[in-house]
């Protein structure tokens, strides 16, 4: 027969440690996903700037980059390009 004594304090400590570990893992996953999205967005903004400099029509740029017209306008303005 196994001799077992319930230790509520230790059980709560273990539960807390497990909860913290789960929270950290979730936070890291969300951070990585957000970082990836921001990286992709920054890349599309660079592509849009390059296309603006080449004089491509704004409609082509918005379709190619999935950026809004307002975003493309801002990129042009921030870089001193006529729109």
């Amino acid at each position: 027969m196994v001799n077992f004594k319930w230790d509520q304090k230790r059980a709560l400590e273990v539960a807390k440690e497990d909860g913290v570990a789960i929270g950290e893992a979730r936070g890291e996953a969300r951070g990585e996903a957000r970082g990836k999205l921001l990286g992709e967005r920054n890349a599309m903004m660079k592509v849009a700037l390059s296309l603006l400099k080449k004089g491509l029509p704004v409609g082509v740029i918005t379709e190619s980059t999935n950026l809004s017209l307002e975003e493309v306008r801002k990129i042009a303005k921030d870089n001193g390009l006529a729109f």
Side-chain angles (χ1 to χ4, degrees), residues 13-71:
E13 289 173 2
V14 170
K16 181 178 177 182
E17 291 169 2
D18 289 347
V20 168
I22 291 168
E24 288 175 348
R26 286 180 182 169
E28 287 175 8
R30 287 180 183 160
E32 288 174 8
R34 182 175 178 169
K36 183 178 178 183
L37 288 175
L38 290 175
E40 291 172 0
R41 182 167 186 75
N42 286 340
M44 286 299 104
M45 293 174 83
K46 287 180 182 179
V47 169
L49 177 58
S50 176
L51 297 176
L52 282 165
K53 287 179 177 178
K54 292 181 182 203
L56 267 70
V58 176
V60 171
I61 297 171
T62 58
E63 288 179 23
S64 300
T65 61
N66 289 323
L67 296 174
S68 70
L69 178 61
E70 293 77 24
E71 290 170 313

